[in-house]
Amino acid sequence: MRAPLISGSIDEWFAAATIADPHSLHARLRGDHPISRIGETGVHFVATWELIEEALQREADFSANLTGVLIRDAAGRPGTFEFPDIGANHVIATADDPEHAVQRAIVQPRLSTANLDGLEPSVRAWTVEALVPWIDARGGDFVPIAELIPARVVAHLLGLPDRDVARHSAWAMLGGSMLAGDVDAVQLTALVSETGRMVEYLGEHLDAAARRDSAGEVPSLLLALSRGVERGEITRMQAIGIAIVMFGAAGESTAALIGSTVHRLAAEPDLARRLRANPHLVPIFVEEIARLEPPFNFHYRSVRQACELGGFELIPGDRLMLAWAAANRDPARFDEPDTLRLDRRYPKQHLTFGRGSHFCVGGPLARLEVRIVIEELLERTKQISPALGSGAVYAPSIFVRRLERLPLSVYPD
């Protein structure tokens, strides 16, 4: 039996009200049909924790390979855009085992607990450097700060020059823009062209890292990738692809989460006061925002073979949208799922950073960055509030939950 057609028009997904607040739509889909199909695209929206967890465990049926995405065409009809295979499509988050395990083993050491502990002073210094002039100016748009700090961290991890941080910050948003679902041919051409420039840039720095490699050097991620190429574990294009994923996974997603945490602080002054008085609660606050406002609303899985999920038939070539944002508010899993609670017993038990073998390798790094931003912002201000006359604006995307503008007023301590 085929899954039921999704209720409502595809236009609802792209409406300004839904972009600003997708949770009502997700709740309706979760309640009406845990799995439902979007037109005749072969794309299925999976909305409950139970079904998503099952899908993640069935790697033989559902591949992490990103082969295409849902789009809305010029006439407003749902369709799909098929990705050409450039040799770097299926890396880290979009790779299957055994390739995924090999690639993860190359990346993981640079994101170990010891390395992150050593990185914290630098992240804190970069955060203070960005915050102080903004606070001195009594605020303004916070988004450039939210984007700058992760961009500097990604560049540092990869071993890229800090002087190019403006390019890095822009490139971090490319992946999310391609997956937004409402990109026309002109925009897509521009995104593909810019991705080509990014590939060229990263390739040059990957080759440079290989040339200056020396025994005993603590490797940057690019150097670790170049060594993986030299050992024959990955191809050069896969190494570049992994670096590209780092921009989006560690850049855009962290920028989105920083924006969401600061947005919530500005909207709830009592919450900000509580966190100032109880700084040990900041990590739990970060987890609750990660649960309530995941940077990515969903990720795709592609169907490998004829099978069923939730009692509905799927065929090879179909795709699943595993809706983290919907599952993270599933009342079957969470008490008061729509409420921010700082007393949750297991605050990290959400799907924002994935689950199982594809648990986000950069999750601990994102937590570190967001925690530091919140700590420094609370310590250096006595009040944060929305700026008068203009509101927050979200990126026009069904995929990413990221603020494009966050005008705030702040009052120093």
Side-chain angles (χ1 to χ4, degrees):
M1 180 173 59
R2 300 179 75 192
L5 277 169
I6 213 160
S7 59
S9 165
I10 191 69
D11 290 338
E12 180 184 6
W13 287 46
F14 297 95
T18 304
I19 295 297
D21 178 15
H23 307 303
S24 297
L25 172 63
H26 293 165
R28 192 182 78 233
L29 295 175
R30 187 178 56 235
D32 288 351
H33 301 290
I35 178 170
S36 49
R37 57 192 171 94
I38 303 173
E40 300 304 324
T41 62
V43 179
H44 296 72
F45 190 86
V46 186
T48 64
W49 180 288
E50 181 182 18
L51 285 180
I52 289 174
E53 188 169 51
E54 178 183 342
L56 291 173
Q57 293 171 352
R58 291 170 54 185
E59 294 185 7
D61 291 327
F62 308 121
S63 169
N65 289 175
L66 183 60
T67 57
V69 298
L70 178 72
I71 61 169
R72 180 174 63 165
D73 66 20
R77 297 178 300 250
T80 57
F81 175 78
E82 305 297 322
F83 288 152
D85 189 350
I86 62 172
N89 299 55
H90 311 315
V91 292
I92 294 292
T94 60
D96 295 320
D97 285 330
E99 290 83 3
H100 170 257
V102 171
Q103 295 167 12
R104 191 180 182 95
I106 295 172
V107 173
Q108 184 71 58
R110 293 296 296 128
L111 298 169
S112 66
T113 300
N115 280 341
L116 293 186
D117 288 344
L119 184 60
E120 180 164 348
S122 294
V123 176
R124 197 170 292 277
W126 295 330
T127 299
V128 171
E129 181 182 332
L131 283 178
V132 166
W134 183 80
I135 292 172
D136 288 345
R138 302 298 190 267
D141 186 5
F142 193 79
V143 167
I145 294 174
E147 293 179 355
L148 174 64
I149 294 165
R152 292 193 73 171
V153 172
V154 171
H156 175 80
L157 287 172
L158 287 168
L160 298 171
D162 192 59
R163 65 177 180 271
D164 293 336
V165 69
R167 299 174 75 182
H168 303 155
S169 183
W171 283 340
M173 309 302 153
L174 284 179
S177 296
M178 286 187 173
L179 296 172
D182 206 21
V183 182
D184 62 29
V186 174
Q187 293 170 315
L188 187 59
T189 298
L191 289 169
V192 170
S193 296
E194 192 60 30
T195 301
R197 286 187 281 272
M198 186 181 181
V199 168
E200 183 179 358
Y201 172 91
L202 290 171
E204 291 172 355
H205 284 280
L206 177 72
D207 296 341
R211 288 193 298 270
R212 64 174 180 265
D213 190 2
S214 60
E217 179 182 351
V218 177
S220 66
L221 183 52
L222 276 180
L223 179 51
L225 291 170
S226 74
R227 290 175 177 175
V229 175
E230 180 66 25
R231 293 191 298 266
E233 296 170 343
I234 55 175
T235 67
R236 182 177 180 275
M237 280 304 298
Q238 285 176 326
I240 294 171
I242 292 169
I244 290 173
V245 167
M246 290 299 296
F247 273 97
E252 181 173 33
S253 65
T254 306
L257 188 53
I258 290 172
S260 291
T261 53
V262 174
H263 189 207
R264 190 64 175 252
L265 285 180
E268 299 186 24
D270 288 344
L271 174 63
R273 282 191 286 270
R274 183 180 178 188
L275 292 173
R276 284 191 184 92
N278 302 276
H280 66 281
L281 294 176
V282 169
I284 300 176
F285 166 64
V286 172
E287 293 301 332
E288 275 290 88
I289 297 299
R291 180 183 69 82
L292 291 166
E293 306 289 354
F296 301 131
N297 286 318
F298 60 86
H299 276 101
Y300 287 99
R301 290 294 186 271
S302 59
V303 178
R304 296 175 184 264
Q305 58 190 3
C307 61
E308 290 189 355
L309 180 66
F312 297 109
E313 297 175 354
L314 299 168
I315 62 173
D318 280 352
R319 296 184 177 94
L320 306 179
M321 297 167 70
L322 302 184
W324 318 127
N328 280 348
R329 292 173 180 246
D330 191 335
R333 180 72 183 189
F334 298 97
D335 294 330
E336 299 181 283
D338 297 318
T339 301
L340 190 156
R341 288 179 44 179
L342 299 180
D343 62 348
R344 291 199 185 273
R345 188 173 181 184
Y346 302 108
K348 292 185 177 181
Q349 294 298 308
H350 53 75
L351 292 175
T352 294
F353 297 111
R355 201 168 179 85
S357 64
H358 275 87
F359 182 82
C360 178
V361 69
L365 176 61
R367 290 177 166 120
L368 171 72
E369 293 179 61
V370 182
R371 172 177 61 80
I372 288 173
V373 170
I374 298 304
E375 289 173 347
E376 293 295 336
L377 185 59
L378 289 173
E379 182 179 336
R380 295 168 186 278
T381 62
K382 63 181 179 182
Q383 184 178 340
I384 311 164
S385 59
L388 295 176
S390 57
V393 177
Y394 283 92
S397 171
I398 63 171
F399 173 68
V400 69
R401 178 76 168 153
R402 174 175 58 80
L403 287 157
E404 287 191 328
R405 275 183 50 78
L406 181 58
L408 301 175
S409 296
V410 293
Y411 301 90
D413 191 12

